[in-house]
Amino acid sequence: MDYKVLSRKYRPQNFDTIIGQPHIVNTLLNSITSNRLAHGYLFSGVRGVGKTTTARVLAKTLNCLDVQENQPCNKCQNCINVTESRSLDVIELDGASNRGIDEIREIKETVKYPPISGKYKIYIIDEVHMLTKEAFNALLKTLEEPPSNVVFILATTDSHKVPETILSRTLRFDFKKITNSNISKHIINILEKENINYEELAINMIAKKADGSVRDALSVLDRIISYSRDLISYDIVKDSLGIIEDDVYINLLNSIIESDQNSLIIKVKDVIDTGYSIENFIGGFNTFLCNGMLYMSGYKKEEFLSESVEKWFNSKKDLINSTDFMRIIEEVQKFEIDSKNLLQPDIALESLFVKLSIMGNTVQISDILSNFDTNNFENKSIIETNIENKQTIDESHDDNKVKDKIAEDKKSSSDNDKIRTQKESDLDFEDIKNRFNDYWQKILNLIDEKDKRISSSLYDQKVRLNNDTIEIDLGETDNTYEQKMLDENIDLIENSIYQIINHKLKIKIKSKMKEEEKEENHPLLNEIKTKFTNTKNS
Ligand SMILES: [Zn+2]
């Protein structure tokens, strides 16, 4: 027997069964009642929200031989033909695969002929934004002077890509994403008709994952039914969608708030070991954080966050600083974008979380600026470093403005020292010694984000931890350039080390060349080298 995918089997066939778009359905019904049809409609909205379905129902209603209360009868030959996609009066075109002018020219030719069995000739062009410029121009001419019995329904997920000239000649309807509760109801309705048992939590999870798209929800449901027909359970859905439970994210956030790097690393390793894809995990964390931020800003909506998550955010209200939280979101979003290109995403993920945990307790830039004595520039480099450390640089801030105002206040500097002393106890030094190579890798990653020249000259060097000193051995080859650059950027290296391990360590750069180079090299060669280095650095 033919298996019909659910989205086709349960596609709404009249206005009453269209889900979640009452504003559009009512307007269309009114225009049918009052006989005020437009010649061109533009249906815009994300995929799977009912644009094409609504277009077909509208087309069917317009040509139905026995319309009842503005609904198609679904029994007459015209209705059946539309349902089975073989009506000669309802022409569907996919703009994504028929982008060219030829198809539109054909439309231009055929609009002249009257409909065959219905009152209207209806053209539904899906993904209309994909048409070429020439095709749009040809379409425009038809839209400008359409015969009275022709209706165009254009559908698009990217209305901003549709030329203004087309937009201005169509009546536009913006389709909303379908709410989770509407998607859930729809799924439950289908499962009951199909006689399949389900757990309500499982259905909510599918709805949430579908993110407003009925089609996506039903294709997930198809997949799950195909290997679990007896019961759609929470566990099966969770595994099949690779969904990470909110508890995992809450646990991670707890460790971030407590600046507990040890437990963070263990938890992140757990996540990786469980086999979740990093992409999935970080995407889920991102959504979780964004929802949390919306919630803390006072946004409340039914089924927006689970009860336990709401409870958690309420209990942490006083501990979460919104600036820190925003910064965490920024870092996670950045990681989500970059993660596709990372060679060792698991290591990068660990270092991301360590970084997030040391970003707390930040000073807001407005607080710093309010403490500035604008005439005192002495310590500006100190405060600049501090700001960089704390990741508080607001990119929209004009650099010069910051520099003009920047000057350090002794008090703020000692406050920072306090924070540092407090932090130094956080990470066990023994642990650092034992896993120094892991930490060094993270430090390199961080340096890499700041200045690729420095990280690349550090990558292949021998590095070891000797008491409280990191020794970097540049070896015996010619390394004047590396030597000079590392010397000049020692602050950046030190800061990065501090950011990862919360300890102030000394740095010693060992180089055989250091002492010998002056005697060995020809003066002219030295001059060239210095010039080369200066040019590179400037
Ligand atoms: Zn009919």
Side-chain angles (χ1 to χ4, degrees), residues 64-66 73-76 79:
C64 175
L65 301 171
D66 185 20
C73 74
N74 279 309
K75 285 180 190 137
C76 71
C79 280

Side-chain angles (χ1 to χ4, degrees), residues 471-482:
E471 294 178 354
I472 301 168
D473 188 350
L474 296 183
E476 299 188 10
T477 48
D478 184 358
N479 49 41
T480 325
Y481 172 64
E482 274 85 6

